[in-house]
Amino acid sequence: MSETTESMDHRPLGELLCPEPDERPDLWPWSTRRREDGVLEIGGVALTQLARDFATPAFILDRADLRGRARVWASVMAEEFWEGYGMAGGDAFYAGKAFLSSDVVRTVTKEGMGIDTASLGELTLALRAGADPSRIGLHGNNKLDSEIESALSAGNGVGIGRIFIDSVGEVAQIERIAARLATKAKVMIRVKTGIHAGGNAYISTGHEDQKFGVGAYDGQLDEVVAAIEASPHLKLCGLHSHVGSQIFGTAAFTQAARILCALAAHIMTDFGRPLPEIDLGGGLGVAYSGDDPVPTSVLEVARAIAAAVKSSCEELGIPFPRVSVEPGRSTIAPAMVSCYRVGAVKDATLGEDAGEALRGHRRYIAVDGGMSDNIRPALYGARYTATLANRVSSAPLLRSRVVGKHCESGDVIVWDVDLPADTSSGDLLVVPVTGAYGYSMASNYNMLTKPGVLGVENGEAEWIMRPQSIDDLLALDPGVHHRGEL
Ligand code: LLP
């Protein structure tokens, strides 16, 4: 413990504690438990053992938790839009941008989800991991010919289930490639519904002044529909809307559903074409810390969308469409944690205006990862929490900031959390809810290697993504003398 800490006054703070698994189960993989010896365990494996036998930092995926979440999405969509209730069926496509690996593709597809992709890399991985092409979608506001070609040639030329057209110009691009490949492309149109929802301006996508989708009310949608109708190699299957990400409540989804139904009715009247499907994108939020509310449940969202679609279609006099969604974050974020080893611990002496909770000091706890494995706090100001994984401590709490090892001061993993004052080098810190947009947005900044992802279940652990090595990084540089070449 540092001298500064010893001399601090340990009055109780306005608490910013990381909730234990039994206090906020929604923040933790379902198998997480604190053992009697204070060690945290996930999938029946102690995090101390994982750190010793594998590596830190590491992402740890509770495989059963991911399976459960995928199963819930797939079955709730199937049930709420069940043909037996007079609806036209429902689907859930896992948004691979949240985190994709072959193991994840196999896990979620086995539970009934399709895969939503947004690049050649995601598409190729989904296909190579064995996803059924007819249950794959492709997004992108600027699709490359190579992406469209790969989408249309999948499944021996049958093509993937849906390509989301994002602009007027894309119609001719897909028509040209589909004609060359002598195939028919199944397309849906991504529209801007005008709805603005979600946690941050950068991840809100349904409103007008952003790059995704075609305008619903400025003539663009009609232009795209007319162009598709005039394209012999395109088949219009429906409309799509993604209104944003990290959304709580059901209102944004139900509003978008009503708008898509109204637009489908308009297309039916003006073009004589019934649209068999609508897709409401992803966006359901998760809690990242004890400050966040418990998120809206999958069932509540699906049920609200079903009610909105049903009443809208009845009012508009159009047939029920099949309804799909593309949940990324809510499928995988809470199924993973990040585990780090604590290194340098120091206290910054702050000015008088530092605020009551800080009492003139801020504790900085540096770990062996950072903004390269979780950019979200730096990029979006996202607020995570953290707790000791190797022990519990009865030491007084100190308002702490968990930082990485990169050379910039914005390299923060947890902005504010109360951690025991005796947290020190060698301890393990675990940050929950890092399954979405952590690994997938990881970088090699400062030439740090990306951590691996450990899958845990039934007391067993294995890499589902191995950690990068320095040799992996150097392999891209033709000017480097590689091992054995000197
Ligand atoms: N579908 C489409 C068309 C999307 O653009 C997205 C996310 C999703 C589905 C999945 O959304 P989710 O269920 O995961 O919210 N990097 C940001 C999130 C960006 C989301 C972009 N699109 C973050 O870390 O918060």
Side-chain angles (χ1 to χ4, degrees):
M1 206 188 305
S2 73
E3 235 174 317
T4 333
T5 311
E6 301 265 26
S7 63
M8 276 186 200
D9 155 12
H10 295 308
R11 278 172 300 164
L13 303 166
E15 284 187 352
L16 268 181
L17 277 167
C18 178
E20 285 289 300
D22 56 348
E23 293 168 334
R24 278 295 297 269
D26 60 307
L27 288 181
W28 294 97
W30 79 269
S31 66
T32 312
R33 70 180 190 103
R34 181 79 72 178
R35 298 192 324 197
E36 264 171 28
D37 60 1
V39 172
L40 215 57
E41 170 187 292
I42 302 180
V45 197
L47 266 55
T48 42
Q49 187 191 332
L50 292 178
R52 192 183 58 235
D53 296 351
F54 293 89
T56 60
F59 289 94
I60 298 165
L61 168 70
D62 178 337
R63 295 172 119 158
D65 189 90
L66 174 62
R67 233 178 5 254
R69 288 171 187 280
R71 191 184 195 88
V72 165
W73 263 120
S75 58
V76 162
M77 288 304 290
E79 182 166 328
E80 292 304 307
F81 297 90
W82 185 40
E83 288 86 345
Y85 299 148
M87 309 290 280
D91 289 296
F93 289 72
Y94 170 65
K97 67 198 78 188
F99 170 63
L100 210 58
S101 78
S102 60
D103 193 74
V104 167
V105 171
R106 283 190 278 268
T107 301
V108 302
T109 54
K110 198 160 169 232
E111 299 305 330
M113 292 183 96
I115 304 284
D116 167 45
T117 67
S119 69
L120 187 58
E122 290 179 9
L123 176 60
T124 308
L125 174 54
L127 289 167
R128 293 223 193 137
D132 171 359
S134 74
R135 308 258 309 139
I136 296 179
L138 175 67
H139 273 285
N141 68 306
N142 181 25
K143 297 185 193 69
L144 308 174
D145 283 5
S146 55
E147 292 170 331
I148 295 169
E149 246 171 65
S150 173
L152 294 179
S153 335
N156 294 323
V158 178
I160 63 168
R162 51 234 222 121
I163 299 179
F164 297 94
I165 291 193
D166 200 273
S167 62
V168 179
E170 198 183 322
V171 177
Q173 185 191 16
I174 302 179
E175 170 61 22
R176 171 171 51 77
I177 298 168
R180 176 158 52 76
L181 297 174
T183 188
K184 193 138 184 160
K186 295 170 276 299
V187 300
M188 293 175 70
I189 307 169
R190 178 164 177 174
V191 291
K192 297 188 210 196
T193 55
I195 299 171
H196 181 121
N200 183 295
Y202 297 132
I203 53 178
S204 303
T205 49
H207 57 297
E208 298 305 311
D209 192 8
Q210 47 79 24
K211 67 177 185 169
F212 296 104
V214 303
Y217 308 109
D218 54 4
Q220 284 185 24
L221 177 59
D222 287 5
E223 202 185 327
V224 172
V225 174
I228 293 172
E229 291 291 282
S231 304
H233 297 91
L234 298 192
K235 180 171 182 231
L236 179 57
C237 301
L239 299 178
H240 174 281
S241 146
H242 172 77
V243 294
S245 205
Q246 188 56 359
I247 297 167
F248 285 71
T250 59
F253 300 108
T254 54
Q255 278 173 34
R258 285 198 195 90
I259 292 172
L260 289 192
C261 290
L263 294 172
H266 157 72
I267 290 169
M268 182 143 146
T269 312
D270 282 26
F271 295 86
R273 171 163 297 278
L275 293 182
E277 179 151 9
I278 63 171
D279 188 298
L280 291 159
L284 181 59
V286 301
Y288 283 98
S289 76
D291 287 347
D292 293 332
V294 173
T296 316
S297 80
V298 169
L299 178 60
E300 201 181 326
V301 172
R303 194 157 275 179
I305 297 173
V309 168
K310 192 162 186 284
S311 63
S312 298
C313 291
E314 282 165 0
E315 278 161 33
L316 294 158
I318 57 167
F320 294 140
R322 194 173 178 85
V323 177
S324 49
V325 288
E326 301 165 334
R329 191 188 316 262
S330 55
T331 314
I332 201 155
M336 271 202 230
V337 303
S338 300
C339 186
Y340 302 98
R341 179 83 66 186
V342 173
V345 176
K346 64 170 83 155
D347 295 307
T349 307
L350 308 175
E352 303 247 307
D353 53 351
E356 168 70 4
L358 291 167
R359 296 186 312 240
H361 300 269
R362 192 193 297 282
R363 158 90 20 127
Y364 278 86
I365 298 178
V367 296
D368 50 358
M371 64 195 300
S372 53
D373 61 71
N374 189 355
I375 189 70
R376 299 190 74 259
L379 189 57
Y380 311 121
R383 302 212 159 248
Y384 287 81
T385 187
T387 187
L388 282 176
N390 55 318
R391 62 188 177 97
V392 287
S393 164
S394 52
L397 297 171
L398 277 183
R399 184 61 44 95
S400 305
R401 182 160 285 175
V402 180
V403 295
K405 60 188 266 68
H406 290 275
C407 49
E408 58 182 279
S409 50
D411 173 25
V412 171
I413 294 174
V414 183
W415 289 101
D416 289 296
V417 59
D418 292 340
L419 285 168
D422 63 356
T423 302
S424 51
S425 177
D427 274 327
L428 292 176
L429 266 191
V430 60
V431 176
V433 205
T434 57
Y437 308 110
Y439 188 94
S440 70
M441 293 176 80
S443 74
N444 290 120
Y445 183 37
N446 289 138
M447 287 191 79
L448 258 68
T449 51
K450 287 185 197 170
V453 181
L454 278 168
V456 292
E457 184 165 22
N458 296 330
E460 307 273 333
E462 64 176 334
W463 290 121
I464 64 164
M465 288 296 286
R466 69 161 171 80
Q468 269 182 336
S469 66
I470 299 282
D471 282 336
D472 287 332
L473 298 186
L474 298 188
L476 298 173
D477 183 341
V480 166
H481 293 290
H482 293 289
R483 264 195 203 154
E485 286 179 13
L486 279 176

